[in-house]
Amino acid sequence: MGRPAKVRALWRWTGYLAVATVFAIACGFLSNWQVNRLHEKEHIQNLITSNWDADPLPLAEVVPTAGAFEASREYQPVTMAGEYLADEQVLVRNRPRSGQPGFEVITPLKLDSGLIFMVDRGWVPTGSAQDLPDHVPAPPEGEVSVTARLKPGEPELPGRSAGNGQIATVHLPDLASRVDGESYTAAYGLLMSEHPAPAEARPLPALQPEINEGMHLSYAIQWVLFAVLAFAFLGYAARQEYLAHNADDPKVRAKLEKREQRRRERKTDADAEDEILDSVL
């Protein structure tokens, strides 16, 4: 191989190496992304495990200001007292449960402090003949003591509309604009219990979330293997080209002959029979 040909080959293999390196870096980022997704799900599961059945605390102790909420407090049970604003109750659309369409029932609770806290009293199914519940159980009247699990508000969904008395998402600033008075705008509550009990069965309570960790760890390992295979293939291709360009070298020829001999020794009886049949046909 002349000098110009060697220079061209060097540039070509440098390009191959650069492509393999970029591919490996991309695989590394994708693997790290999968690991981060796994850690996020583990964090959520740990949060649920530690907070779901924790002892209830006063709302004012856990959420001291109406506009702030610590993410580590999600699902923490809190207690409060006040009076439901039943006339300001709204339904959250598109909330399936066990494969059945339905609504979440959000009822503002005016606390003894004067602040208003949004309580998700539970789930009701879509009606049999219309896109509305057949019936929404009324909340207790008068002073009521409530225990609920904290949840952060949901983001607004642009372009999503809802009918009168309904909302597309639990966007707390939107809910706050529908009632008179200052409202909590960073957290709301999933109802656990209320006393006195309502006159009729309340909507179905929220289910404890089940977090599926999925295949993130397997995918992370696969991306690492892809990166390793890229360099392994590059090394294999470089060796094959080296052997092809140096086939006349006695040492290289001896290696090729040994490889061919090993390949022949690995032939099975079935391979031998196939060769015989091919020679006859």
Side-chain angles (χ1 to χ4, degrees), residues 3 16 24 92 136 185 214 225 228 246 267 278:
R3 183 174 182 82
Y16 292 161
V92 190
V136 179
T185 55
L225 291 177
V228 173
N246 296 275
K267 286 183 179 179
D278 291 340

Side-chain angles (χ1 to χ4, degrees), residues 13-280:
W13 283 100
T14 300
Y16 292 161
L17 178 61
V19 171
T21 301
V22 171
F23 177 75
I25 291 173
C27 289
F29 277 114
L30 290 169
S31 177
N32 186 63
W33 177 70
Q34 291 289 350
V35 170
N36 288 337
R37 289 291 306 279
L38 176 62
H39 289 166
E40 288 174 3
K41 289 189 174 182
E42 290 175 342
H43 172 72
I44 295 173
Q45 185 59 65
N46 292 335
L47 195 65
I48 295 170
T49 301
S50 61
N51 288 353
W52 189 265
D53 293 321
D55 294 332
L57 298 172
L59 173 63
E61 179 179 328
V62 182
V63 188
T65 60
F69 177 67
E70 293 182 12
S72 61
R73 293 293 199 171
E74 186 172 1
Y75 300 113
Q76 167 67 48
V78 293
T79 57
M80 67 205 82
E83 184 175 350
Y84 281 120
L85 304 178
D87 293 339
E88 308 297 336
Q89 184 169 274
V90 296
L91 300 175
V92 190
R93 294 182 56 82
N94 299 320
R95 299 291 163 144
R97 181 183 175 119
S98 302
Q100 184 177 0
F103 301 81
E104 299 286 341
V105 181
I106 304 291
T107 311
L109 179 70
K110 188 168 185 178
L111 306 178
D112 294 340
S113 64
L115 293 173
I116 297 172
F117 185 79
M118 303 299 169
V119 178
D120 184 340
R121 297 192 63 244
W123 181 88
V124 291
T126 299
S128 56
Q130 74 283 332
D131 187 21
L132 284 171
D134 287 334
H135 177 65
V136 179
E141 296 182 359
E143 185 76 7
V144 60
S145 297
V146 170
T147 302
R149 293 186 175 93
L150 291 173
K151 282 279 292 179
E154 299 175 357
E156 187 177 14
L157 300 178
R160 289 280 294 275
S161 60
N164 187 33
Q166 300 180 19
I167 55 175
T169 178
V170 187
H171 184 55
L172 294 174
D174 178 25
L175 287 169
S177 68
R178 296 168 180 253
V179 297
D180 293 329
E182 184 181 358
S183 299
Y184 283 82
T185 55
Y188 69 105
L190 304 176
L191 181 63
M192 297 173 59
S193 64
E194 51 194 1
H195 182 78
E200 52 186 335
R202 52 166 284 201
L204 294 179
L207 298 173
Q208 181 173 347
E210 294 182 2
I211 305 301
N212 182 3
E213 293 185 358
M215 301 291 291
H216 296 299
L217 181 58
S218 297
Y219 292 150
I221 294 173
Q222 286 179 12
W223 283 116
V224 172
L225 291 177
F226 288 155
V228 173
L229 288 174
F231 287 106
F233 178 77
L234 186 67
Y236 173 79
R239 178 171 175 77
Q240 291 301 108
E241 182 170 307
Y242 170 79
L243 294 176
H245 282 295
N246 296 275
D248 295 334
D249 188 306
K251 293 182 179 179
V252 173
R253 190 184 308 116
K255 290 182 179 180
L256 293 174
E257 290 175 352
K258 287 183 179 180
R259 180 187 297 178
E260 179 64 20
Q261 182 178 356
R262 288 196 298 269
R263 187 184 68 80
R264 291 176 178 176
E265 291 174 351
R266 287 198 299 268
K267 286 183 179 179
T268 64
D269 292 339
D271 294 331
E273 292 174 358
D274 290 341
E275 288 184 357
I276 295 173
L277 289 173
D278 291 340
S279 64
V280 172

Side-chain angles (χ1 to χ4, degrees), residues 1-13 241 245:
M1 182 184 294
R3 183 174 182 82
K6 289 183 177 180
V7 172
R8 288 195 299 271
L10 176 62
W11 279 107
R12 178 161 51 83
W13 283 100
E241 182 170 307
H245 282 295

